[in-house]
Amino acid sequence: MNNPFENALTQLSRAANVMKLDPQVHEKLKSPKKVHSASITIIMDNGSTKTFPAWRSQYNDALGPYKGGIRYHPGVTEDEVKALSFWMTMKCAVVGLPLGGGKGGIIVNPKELSETELEKLSRGYIQAFYQHLGPTKDVPAPDVYTNSQIMAWMLDEYEKLTGEHAPGMITGKPLCLGGSRGRDKATAQGGVFVLLEAVKKMDMIPNETTVAIQGFGNAGAHMAELLAVQGFKIVAVSDSKGAIKSANALDISALTAHKEKNSAVTGFTGTETITNEQLLELPVDILIPAALENQITAENAGRIKAKMILELANGPTTPEADAILFKNNVVVVPDILANAGGVTVSYFEQVQNASNYYWTDEEVMEKLQKIMITAFAGVWATKEKYAIDLRTAAFVTALERVGAAMKARGLV
Ligand code: NAD
């Protein structure tokens, strides 16, 4: 299995070579500024005790406070958290946010925990790391298998420990606790704004374009819903339990209801069950990975038939696969651009918390659209300038900004 942090460092080196990045900046960006670790022990409902390893990686804060989600997953590793915090640094920079990059994780299968155990674990995470967090230090958010309820428990624990109201210490909160309108769909909505720009560049017509989506969670399910409204034909989707495909466009509202009822997309009327591996290789126009890392590798990249891959997941494509896809003229719209809508609306949430004044859905969407379209245009122009792939172009764009901030502060 590819190590995501090694993948991240390869991506960094590719961009550094193209842009002739200052070697001192490059060297400093090869490791996170700090990685905090903890063991969180909770009393389970049956009276036993259980310990969960946890991390908070603070990669780079040259542009502003560390920012990034917390992942609950049985497969989380320290290197994965480090990679995700590096990608957050690049992501915030590529869309021009005044934020650095961080990420957290706990090794846990949250599906095996009761609600009470999940709350204890989430409060435990804040007890372990709260001194390193705060609106001007490091601001967490949801990621895989964490949600607005978990953010609410974390905010409450932080405020109890510090004795102050600090809604801006975490984003992705429920609306009633200072969350932003549009945050739940923000990652997908940002992805749609970017995808529509990419589709124009590639002369694709939405209602003649077929799409397969891997992952039917926050990012993937909202993407399916929003793309269907735009006329795209979603013909295959998957989740951790399996994948489905259909000859015709899927009815996404009915599929969402089916997933809610059965906790799986498989078994949906009129579809054929396939594997997640088969889904990636379907003859569709656009493939959207929206689950986990390392899905498109040197092993399967040559069999990808999509003309475009839009990465809603973080790190779904390995550097070896990137080279094969580039050679085969598959356009890869990279994660740090394609899924930056989530952190952009998280940033809006922080701005609203800081001013204690809240925006309408329309205001959020208008501002998000402007940022995503501008970022796409900038990355596309960099790709043309250096004749490189979009991922390297996105890294070059981000590194110009992070590098300038690091140098302005003084490197040592
Ligand atoms: P989520 O927990 O809401 O959903 C994850 C989905 O992936 C679930 O449907 C799950 O069943 C599915 N899945 C897990 N393993 C799978 C596998 N092996 N094959 C197919 N499907 C599988 O998480 P999310 O928030 O939607 O995050 C998904 C990806 O998007 C992650 O890489 C995350 O880092 C990235 N992302 C999320 C946000 C956000 O705001 N939620 C922002 C930026 C990036």
Side-chain angles (χ1 to χ4, degrees):
M1 179 60 102
N2 280 62
N3 178 325
F5 190 57
E6 284 170 20
N7 291 349
L9 292 185
T10 305
Q11 293 166 343
L12 170 64
S13 293
R14 279 185 187 166
N17 289 342
V18 168
M19 68 190 292
K20 304 198 173 19
L21 182 67
D22 182 324
Q24 291 180 331
V25 171
H26 189 176
E27 179 59 28
K28 215 169 167 186
L29 282 173
K30 284 181 188 165
S31 36
K33 201 160 160 187
K34 295 174 212 161
V35 182
H36 306 284
S37 64
S39 299
I40 306 171
T41 303
I42 62 168
I43 298 171
M44 308 295 281
D45 292 349
N46 65 7
S48 66
T49 48
K50 209 164 172 183
T51 299
F52 301 87
W55 295 274
R56 184 74 191 166
S57 171
Q58 299 181 321
Y59 207 92
N60 184 283
D61 65 344
L63 285 169
Y66 303 106
K67 183 85 192 83
I70 302 172
R71 178 171 294 194
Y72 287 7
H73 196 275
V76 170
T77 64
E78 183 173 346
D79 270 358
E80 180 182 41
V81 176
K82 277 161 63 179
L84 289 161
S85 65
F86 169 74
W87 288 324
M88 283 308 297
T89 308
M90 296 295 108
K91 192 181 301 184
C92 291
V94 88
V95 285
L97 305 180
L99 296 170
K103 201 84 183 191
I106 306 182
I107 302 181
V108 57
N109 184 352
K111 293 175 190 170
E112 291 171 358
L113 263 53
S114 71
E115 173 113 341
T116 318
E117 291 163 346
L118 200 57
E119 177 174 349
K120 283 184 193 167
L121 182 67
S122 305
R123 290 184 184 276
Y125 189 88
I126 296 300
Q127 287 158 15
F129 298 119
Y130 79 98
Q131 281 156 325
H132 308 296
L133 305 175
T136 58
K137 289 188 200 168
D138 183 352
V139 184
D143 190 67
V144 173
Y145 298 152
T146 50
N147 56 26
S148 61
Q149 176 58 69
I150 290 174
M151 301 303 110
W153 290 324
M154 289 184 165
L155 172 71
D156 184 66
E157 191 63 26
Y158 181 86
E159 293 186 337
K160 281 191 175 125
L161 289 165
T162 59
E164 59 182 7
H165 276 285
M169 67 76 51
I170 202 159
T171 61
K173 301 179 290 288
L175 280 179
C176 62
L177 292 181
S180 177
R181 294 200 175 277
R183 177 63 185 87
D184 50 348
K185 288 187 184 174
T187 302
Q189 186 64 68
V192 171
F193 289 139
V194 167
L195 184 137
L196 291 175
E197 295 303 297
V199 158
K200 274 190 240 160
K201 295 278 185 199
M202 295 178 70
D203 294 326
M204 289 175 167
I205 298 161
N207 52 21
E208 292 173 12
T209 302
T210 54
V211 182
I213 303 180
Q214 183 196 40
F216 204 68
N218 179 298
H222 282 130
M223 191 70 179
E225 182 190 314
L226 294 171
L227 283 182
V229 172
Q230 295 283 338
F232 290 88
K233 293 182 185 155
I234 320 296
V235 294
V237 302
S238 68
D239 59 24
S240 59
K241 297 191 180 122
I244 52 169
K245 75 165 184 177
S246 160
N248 304 311
L250 294 162
D251 176 343
I252 302 301
S253 319
L255 176 59
T256 304
H258 171 88
K259 162 94 181 168
E260 262 165 33
K261 191 165 162 228
N262 302 287
S263 302
V265 293
T266 46
F268 183 55
T269 322
T271 63
E272 184 188 329
T273 300
I274 55 171
T275 64
N276 257 298
E277 291 70 30
Q278 287 170 321
L279 175 132
L280 298 173
E281 297 171 19
L282 287 176
V284 289
D285 298 307
I286 303 178
L287 173 64
I288 303 184
L292 296 169
E293 298 93 52
N294 292 329
Q295 300 301 302
I296 305 170
T297 64
E299 197 277 315
N300 63 0
R303 297 193 297 273
I304 301 282
K305 296 174 196 74
K307 300 182 192 80
M308 185 202 301
I309 297 175
L310 184 109
E311 298 180 334
L312 276 194
N314 285 305
T317 312
T318 67
E320 298 77 25
D322 263 335
I324 297 167
L325 295 166
F326 189 54
K327 196 169 105 256
N328 291 349
N329 292 319
V330 180
V331 173
V332 180
V333 187
D335 45 10
I336 60 168
L337 172 64
N339 70 31
V343 72
T344 302
V345 177
S346 274
Y347 163 64
F348 294 164
E349 186 171 329
Q350 286 181 272
V351 173
Q352 294 169 80
N353 294 150
S355 58
N356 207 6
Y357 179 77
Y358 291 85
W359 308 345
T360 61
D361 273 310
E362 291 71 28
E363 284 172 290
V364 170
M365 284 307 132
E366 190 192 322
K367 289 177 169 63
L368 176 64
Q369 184 174 27
K370 211 166 171 181
I371 287 182
M372 299 309 294
I373 291 179
T374 307
F376 179 85
V379 171
W380 194 272
T382 304
K383 159 189 123 69
E384 305 272 282
K385 178 177 161 192
Y386 292 102
I388 48 178
D389 59 282
L390 276 175
R391 185 184 318 281
T392 311
F395 273 90
V396 167
T397 309
L399 287 167
E400 279 167 357
R401 294 174 183 159
V402 176
M406 287 168 72
K407 283 200 210 164
R409 286 174 185 277
L411 278 167
V412 281

